[in-house]
Amino acid sequence: MSGIAERIQSVVASLPETARLVAVSKFNPAEAVLQAYNCGQRLFGESKVQELTGKYEVLPKDIEWHFIGHLQTNKVKYIAPFISLIQSVDSLKLLKEIDAQAKKVNRVIDCLLEIHVAQEATKYGFSIEELRELFRARAFDVFENVNVVGLMGMASNTDDEVRIREEFRLLSDFYQEMKNSLAPQFRELSMGMSHDYHIAVEEGSTLVRVGSFIFGERVYA
Ligand SMILES: *Cc1c(COP(=O)(O)O)cnc(C)c1O
């Protein structure tokens, strides 16, 4: 069994029934995705449009692709025909474009709203207050070709597990608040990466996005 297969199996075995693994294959070649596919993994995450469309073309069509990176509005059209979940919606403008492109290909695209709780100033996303206001104003109801099915978030990039847990709990509490009131359709809370997915799962994550632990450290060309 390859190292990739063993590591995927160890992550999957550690997840509760309520959480799924998104194998984050960015910066890794299609052959690495295929190795993971051959041991049963069907759900993959990518963060660059061109890289994703290249892999989509050459890999088996029963792969479920999630987009997890910053998405430029002018590139939505390239992934709209096949993407199964866009996890990283960070503006209303982007959601509007996804709706328009989904309509063109006669699809309804599932989306997560990216929410910003980490300390780093560079992270994209909405704040909790912003989203609460937008849901109160029913700002997402006008889009017929997108389904807002939950939230995606990242904790701060730190070794401080207490702080990571606090940030995940903040996300999880807000997710539950919305699910119990203005967004009963919520069914996905995407949190957790290689170094913190075990904490995210304890705090209620339904999708963990694990890359380097499975595929090895990425080499940025
Ligand atoms: C790259 C990436 C991941 C995976 O990170 P690892 O530390 O390699 O597991 C998860 N989520 C997002 C949004 C990413 O860009």
Side-chain angles (χ1 to χ4, degrees):
M1 200 160 53
S2 75
I4 287 177
E6 276 165 17
R7 290 189 295 270
I8 282 186
Q9 272 157 22
S10 85
V11 176
V12 169
S14 77
L15 297 179
E17 269 176 32
T18 47
R20 290 185 295 156
L21 166 64
V22 182
V24 175
S25 48
K26 63 186 187 193
F27 298 96
N28 283 279
E31 299 84 78
V33 177
L34 207 51
Q35 280 186 49
Y37 179 91
N38 286 336
C39 72
Q41 181 67 24
R42 291 292 179 274
L43 176 50
F44 292 88
E46 287 282 338
S47 63
K48 296 260 189 298
V49 167
Q50 208 178 353
E51 187 177 349
L52 170 55
T53 54
K55 285 176 184 163
Y56 171 74
E57 279 164 24
V58 300
L59 286 162
K61 291 296 175 284
D62 62 338
I63 287 179
E64 196 183 326
W65 293 104
H66 286 191
F67 196 83
I68 63 168
H70 179 60
L71 180 56
Q72 289 169 277
T73 49
N74 62 347
K75 294 191 173 163
V76 173
K77 57 178 176 287
Y78 301 114
I79 62 171
F82 68 89
I83 198 74
S84 90
L85 177 66
I86 299 176
Q87 294 204 7
S88 44
V89 174
D90 55 8
S91 70
L92 267 184
K93 181 174 163 245
L94 176 59
L95 202 63
K96 192 171 174 214
E97 177 63 11
I98 295 169
D99 184 58
Q101 294 299 332
K103 191 165 288 168
K104 280 190 187 169
V105 292
N106 202 19
R107 294 189 68 207
V108 177
I109 297 180
D110 286 345
C111 291
L112 305 184
L113 302 170
E114 182 170 352
I115 190 160
H116 177 111
V117 292
Q119 298 301 316
E120 288 98 45
T122 57
K123 297 262 161 73
Y124 293 102
F126 297 94
S127 71
I128 283 181
E129 294 70 32
E130 237 178 321
L131 276 191
R132 197 181 272 120
E133 279 313 305
L134 287 168
F135 273 106
R136 281 195 182 134
R138 308 234 163 253
F140 307 112
D141 292 3
V142 298
F143 303 117
E144 293 182 340
N145 290 70
V146 295
N147 264 338
V148 175
V149 297
L151 306 174
M152 186 269 259
M154 266 178 264
S156 295
N157 186 11
T158 170
D159 291 332
D160 182 352
E161 297 212 344
V162 173
R163 182 155 132 208
I164 291 172
R165 188 178 296 279
E166 278 171 6
E167 291 176 354
F168 284 150
R169 191 159 300 176
L170 207 62
L171 284 169
S172 185
D173 286 348
F174 179 65
Y175 173 83
Q176 284 303 334
E177 176 196 327
M178 289 296 107
K179 188 176 163 66
N180 293 337
S181 57
L182 298 166
Q185 77 279 14
F186 270 14
R187 55 180 163 78
E188 300 288 8
L189 174 59
S190 175
M191 2 182 249
M193 307 167 44
S194 289
H195 70 286
D196 58 15
Y197 76 87
H198 53 287
I199 305 175
V201 163
E202 287 169 4
E203 297 303 328
S205 174
T206 67
L207 290 170
V208 295
R209 311 177 307 271
V210 180
S212 50
F213 175 74
I214 292 169
F215 295 105
E217 288 302 323
R218 288 177 289 274
V219 180
Y220 294 91

